[in-house]
Amino acid sequence: MPPASRDRFTIHSKAVVCQDVDMKGDITIGAGTIVHPKATIFAASGPIVIGSGCIIEEGAIVLNRRKEVMRIGDDNLFEIGCRVECPMANFNTICTRARIHYTTRLSSYCVVGAGCLVVATEEEILDEYTVIYGPGAERRIWSGRGRLQEADLRKKHAEYLREMLP
Amino acid sequence: MSPGVEYYCPCQASTPHPPQPNLASSSYSFHALHNLYFCEECDAIRCNHCVMVEVSGYYCPNCLFEVPSASVRAEKTRYQSCARNCFMCPSCSNTLTVVPSDPPDNGDERIPPTINAAGEPPFFLYCNHCRWDSAEVGITFEKPTGLAAQLQKFEDSAPESLEFERLKEHFEPYLRASPSTSGNGLHTHSPHMNPITAAASSALARDIPGVARYMPHALSRSRSGRDKNANRQEVPDYRARVEIGAITTGYALGGGAEPDVEFMRHLETVEEVATLDQRWGNSWVTSPRSIDLKPLRIPLHSKKSKRCPTCRHILIKPEQKAQSVRYKIKLVAANYLPAITVSLPHMQAALAMLRRSGRANAEPQDGTMLAGKTYPFHLSFQNPLYDPIQVRLHVQRAIPPTQPNAPETEKARRPPFAITLPTQAFPIAAFAEAWEYDDDEDMFGLEGEGEGEDEDFDAHGPKDSRGKSRTVGVLERRANVTMIGGEVMISKEARGDMKFNMLVSYTYRSDDPEPEEPSTPSRSQAQHKQPEMKTFSFYTVVDLGTIIVRDTSSVDLDS
């Protein structure tokens, strides 16, 4: 971790933040969160607070462009190469190379599919269980069936990573 | 359109000469090289239009299960889709997976729910991509296997499929009896009508439930036809299980009746309506609401083998196994004919310049040429054969050339543009695997020939004020690729696409020696000897792009 003068990192002792993670600004990372190498967390304007049990994979970019605190809840999954500039609640999945603009806000259990681009022209809060998928970033509401299994899988995923990552 | 070369298959024409490429109908005779086959027996090009296609196997594209063709044929409609667990998401057409239900939520966030490996009983189909699940439309399964069979019960009980079954049952005895009665030509009103078409026409003319009788003529005719054929087995009137009116007005959406209108009136978002793509694959009338979409069976794919239409030899035959992408027999034209690519050097220069200057290409777009100018073009020939070949090119005139050795002379009669190509044969070295190129012994060349060609051209080529740089002739030879230059002179009033037919004949050493020549000389000696050489000619169309007309002032400047 590159210590910088104005940077202030608060990382829980049970969180795993790998080497080679690019972090800048005021960042708080909660318990059990895993940040893979080559991930980027930029608190450019305001601070970023990441909850517990999140997984931030390689090449993911978490960026706060705003002044206020960007709160990311618990058990979110940021897959490889995604770019997130928005706050969110719990259990969201941002798939590979998806991009979410800062005008959007996610509630819980949302899924942004691979390669989807979510740019809201005005402030927008995605409902719970919103699924964005496909090349046209179509939306639908997930029924929520299979949610517990997915939560279980997410927990196992995080546990495995905690054991395996250096 | 970018410049390209297509190859001619003579299957659709009576003459060996291809149609003029500017005719709209000619595009059916020209194909890209990778779509063509080559019959070794007939020594001819075969295209997808003329080959005979036969199915060599059916398989499911999802699970790669090979379905025996017998069962596909027996179960005509039902098992043309995968009969195992393969379903397609109706919302995003991804494949669905079978997942167990969630265990009962104990309400406590802290204690992770115990998930048993086998899963909880109500299974449903789940799309990993858009998270559609079949429980939304009320489809769940007790077991995670044999879903198609489980679903079949529901499908069989659908009113439409019951109706269809009954219809089949109804007509089956008649259809089975038809061949036996076809011999007695007792048909009165149309002697050429065979019983099946008669049955079909009478069935069509019959009173359809729900449709008003507005065809009294047809009805009476069919009735009279029926009366005359007393000995013909008669089709009794079919009584529908469900009146058609009941389907449309009663409970179902999608019949185009009142409920549909009502539903459309109360739309809030477009997403509520299923798209045409989503409804297209269904056999029966389905609801237009996207929330009613059902999982779709995955249709089987087939592997096809193709035969030459004349000698019935197999041209291409895939391996039987669905997992394999290899071919047992593969006689594709790309292995026999030299691959020709065309490029326009002036365009590449322009593109490079545009790229360097970073401007958007506002000037001549890809594949356009100005009228009244002369352009060089390059044709590069790639030899797929293991022997060197000699290639000779002829441009086809408006009238197919009777003596193909003097194409340049009638240039004046070709109005829109004139093509100049080397008339002499030029060699292309043999195809060799990459590891054979360690030394240059294969690269025997016939240098100096190009010079002679240039001279040859200037004699009757276009008298160009810009001198004769090597634009026509062999430009480059490396490995099994020879690039030759040609020139096109576009007249001022030329319009449209710049396409011309080109006859390519190449001479190669035949693999099987002539029968009257029992003592074959050694291979190295035979390479340039006459008796073993064979010539094959084929037509291509070269598309150089479109001609655009510039205002006259600039044209005058150029010319």
Side-chain angles (χ1 to χ4, degrees):
Chain A
M1 262 173 281
S5 58
R6 126 191 124 74
D7 295 347
R8 201 166 58 107
F9 305 141
T10 315
I11 297 171
H12 194 274
S13 58
K14 280 193 177 160
V16 178
V17 179
C18 296
Q19 283 183 345
D20 213 0
V21 173
D22 201 357
M23 302 209 297
K24 277 205 185 83
D26 188 352
I27 296 165
T28 310
I29 295 179
T33 287
I34 291 147
V35 185
H36 284 232
K38 293 282 181 195
T40 308
I41 305 174
F42 269 13
S45 308
I48 295 179
V49 178
I50 298 176
S52 64
C54 291
I55 301 169
I56 300 177
E57 293 187 351
E58 290 94 334
I61 300 171
V62 181
L63 171 66
N64 189 5
R65 290 176 184 276
R66 301 182 159 207
K67 284 274 178 284
E68 57 261 38
V69 182
M70 173 167 152
R71 274 182 204 285
I72 289 177
D74 301 338
D75 300 310
N76 294 299
L77 172 62
F78 299 82
E79 289 188 359
I80 297 165
C82 68
R83 183 185 179 101
V84 176
E85 303 179 0
C86 68
M88 60 182 71
N90 309 326
F91 261 114
N92 296 295
T93 306
I94 317 297
C95 291
T96 310
R97 290 189 72 85
R99 283 162 60 199
I100 310 178
H101 211 234
Y102 63 89
T103 47
T104 318
R105 249 151 229 277
L106 303 187
S107 44
S108 296
Y109 304 105
C110 292
V111 180
V112 180
C116 285
L117 174 64
V118 185
V119 181
T121 43
E122 52 207 51
E123 292 281 313
E124 185 191 19
I125 301 176
L126 292 186
D127 291 337
E128 289 200 346
Y129 298 109
T130 299
V131 182
I132 296 178
Y133 65 97
E138 291 141 89
R139 294 183 184 192
R140 62 190 312 280
I141 301 292
W142 176 31
S143 63
R145 273 176 284 259
R147 173 170 58 87
L148 291 175
Q149 292 169 74
E150 195 175 312
D152 184 61
L153 186 67
R154 184 75 52 83
K155 285 218 166 63
K156 281 183 188 151
H157 184 182
E159 259 166 46
Y160 176 80
L161 288 175
R162 269 194 288 275
E163 281 171 26
M164 298 306 291
L165 281 178
Chain B
M1 209 181 106
S2 59
V5 178
E6 291 197 321
Y7 291 65
Y8 175 66
C9 175
C11 63
Q12 306 221 324
S14 47
T15 61
H17 301 294
Q20 283 306 300
N22 294 330
L23 301 175
S25 61
S26 71
S27 63
Y28 293 104
S29 305
F30 293 105
H31 313 274
L33 179 61
H34 59 259
N35 289 333
L36 289 173
Y37 307 100
F38 190 88
C39 180
E40 276 190 331
E41 302 297 318
C42 313
D43 220 17
I45 298 175
R46 302 288 176 216
C47 70
N48 273 324
H49 294 312
C50 56
V51 292
M52 298 194 307
V53 180
E54 30 190 77
V55 174
S56 64
Y58 297 90
Y59 66 98
C60 168
N62 186 38
C63 58
L64 295 179
F65 177 71
E66 285 155 55
V67 184
S69 5
S71 77
V72 173
R73 244 173 265 131
E75 304 278 345
K76 277 191 181 59
T77 47
R78 187 171 302 169
Y79 289 119
Q80 310 232 332
S81 49
C82 183
R84 298 166 89 208
N85 288 344
C86 301
F87 289 91
M88 216 160 66
C89 175
S91 158
C92 65
S93 74
N94 197 2
T95 48
L96 296 170
T97 45
V98 191
V99 291
S101 298
D102 270 342
D105 198 347
N106 46 17
D108 192 356
E109 291 280 319
R110 295 297 109 198
I111 306 159
T114 47
I115 288 175
N116 107 48
E120 298 283 314
F123 294 91
F124 53 89
L125 293 164
Y126 174 76
C127 172
N128 275 317
H129 188 52
C130 69
R131 310 236 164 174
W132 180 90
D133 62 56
S134 68
E136 283 178 30
V137 289
I139 297 177
T140 51
F141 307 94
E142 283 88 41
K143 297 195 302 286
T145 49
L147 300 190
Q150 293 185 48
L151 208 56
Q152 192 70 50
K153 286 180 222 144
F154 293 104
E155 282 174 6
D156 282 349
S157 61
E160 290 93 347
S161 95
L162 283 178
E163 188 74 51
F164 185 63
E165 286 299 321
R166 265 175 57 107
L167 261 175
K168 279 202 294 192
E169 228 168 77
H170 179 78
F171 282 110
E172 206 182 358
Y174 181 65
L175 285 176
R176 212 184 292 132
S178 305
S180 58
T181 57
S182 62
N184 57 5
L186 276 176
H187 230 278
T188 48
H189 54 274
S190 164
H192 300 296
M193 216 186 237
N194 72 25
I196 293 177
T197 53
S201 70
S202 70
L204 280 176
R206 198 193 315 280
D207 190 13
I208 300 160
V211 176
R213 314 176 173 223
Y214 52 82
M215 292 166 65
H217 166 69
L219 264 180
S220 64
R221 201 185 64 157
S222 78
R223 235 176 241 140
S224 65
R226 225 180 287 159
D227 296 340
K228 299 258 169 69
N229 295 304
N231 62 339
R232 206 153 57 98
Q233 190 179 353
E234 208 33 75
V235 189
D237 273 348
Y238 176 72
R239 192 126 300 277
R241 232 185 100 259
V242 197
E243 288 289 309
I244 189 85
I247 292 179
T248 48
T249 55
Y251 54 95
L253 285 161
E258 287 298 318
D260 282 358
V261 180
E262 201 61 25
F263 160 65
M264 292 292 178
R265 273 210 190 105
H266 295 97
L267 275 187
E268 284 179 12
T269 56
V270 193
E271 283 84 41
E272 287 178 37
V273 189
T275 61
L276 190 57
D277 278 350
Q278 291 167 345
R279 297 176 62 199
W280 194 246
N282 282 318
S283 312
W284 315 118
V285 173
T286 50
S287 157
R289 290 189 297 180
S290 53
I291 53 165
D292 285 348
L293 288 169
K294 300 276 192 293
L296 302 168
R297 301 284 185 86
I298 290 186
L300 297 180
H301 284 202
S302 60
K303 288 195 159 190
K304 301 181 194 78
S305 56
K306 293 174 179 175
R307 285 175 187 276
C308 172
T310 49
C311 66
R312 303 184 61 87
H313 276 87
I314 291 175
L315 297 175
I316 191 157
K317 185 184 176 67
E319 269 184 16
Q320 196 68 36
K321 277 191 357 191
Q323 288 94 333
S324 161
V325 291
R326 292 168 198 278
Y327 291 94
K328 272 185 193 154
I329 300 169
K330 190 170 71 169
L331 301 174
V332 292
N335 288 342
Y336 294 89
L337 310 180
I340 308 173
T341 49
V342 60
S343 62
L344 294 161
H346 75 275
M347 204 105 71
Q348 285 164 355
L351 279 178
M353 206 177 68
L354 283 175
R355 222 172 286 132
R356 230 172 316 157
S357 58
R359 259 181 305 154
N361 47 352
E363 278 302 291
Q365 293 157 5
D366 194 33
T368 52
M369 297 172 148
L370 297 176
K373 289 190 80 175
T374 302
Y375 291 97
F377 61 89
H378 294 168
L379 291 171
S380 72
F381 291 77
Q382 191 169 15
N383 181 10
L385 303 174
Y386 287 100
D387 301 301
I389 57 174
Q390 295 277 331
V391 178
R392 187 179 271 273
L393 303 176
H394 307 289
V395 176
Q396 192 199 25
R397 300 287 130 186
I399 313 144
T402 43
Q403 72 283 25
N405 50 357
E408 308 295 317
T409 51
E410 25 187 305
K411 188 172 295 157
R413 286 168 49 195
R414 177 105 176 149
F417 49 83
I419 307 289
T420 315
L421 279 173
T423 45
Q424 290 190 345
F426 56 90
I428 310 177
F431 172 76
E433 307 288 354
W435 56 84
E436 291 178 35
Y437 280 123
D438 44 4
D439 48 358
D440 272 350
E441 56 168 1
D442 282 342
M443 317 270 281
F444 58 92
L446 299 165
E447 299 305 329
E449 195 183 52
E451 296 296 325
E453 267 171 39
D454 270 2
E455 308 259 43
D456 200 23
F457 266 102
D458 293 331
H460 43 259
K463 290 284 178 276
D464 204 350
S465 57
R466 293 179 299 169
K468 49 257 179 212
S469 58
R470 285 170 59 102
T471 52
V472 174
V474 178
L475 298 180
E476 192 189 348
R477 293 186 57 204
R478 61 184 157 78
N480 61 337
V481 180
T482 297
M483 188 188 272
I484 63 146
E487 213 166 39
V488 55
M489 199 167 64
I490 309 169
S491 70
K492 277 175 205 163
E493 55 274 5
R495 303 280 181 280
D497 286 343
M498 259 271 320
K499 284 183 182 174
F500 62 92
N501 285 343
M502 183 173 72
L503 176 69
V504 181
S505 7
Y506 66 95
T507 314
Y508 61 100
R509 199 171 53 82
S510 100
D511 280 337
D512 36 13
E514 301 286 311
E516 66 269 11
E517 198 181 50
S519 62
T520 315
S522 74
R523 294 202 152 209
S524 58
Q525 280 179 342
Q527 267 183 356
H528 291 286
K529 292 272 161 59
Q530 285 305 316
E532 269 203 72
M533 304 303 268
K534 271 191 177 178
T535 301
F536 183 76
S537 307
F538 60 95
Y539 272 105
T540 58
V541 59
V542 180
D543 184 4
L544 290 178
T546 38
I547 302 167
I548 56 168
V549 185
R550 251 200 328 199
D551 38 44
T552 44
S553 58
S554 56
V555 171
D556 284 341
L557 277 177
D558 285 325
S559 59

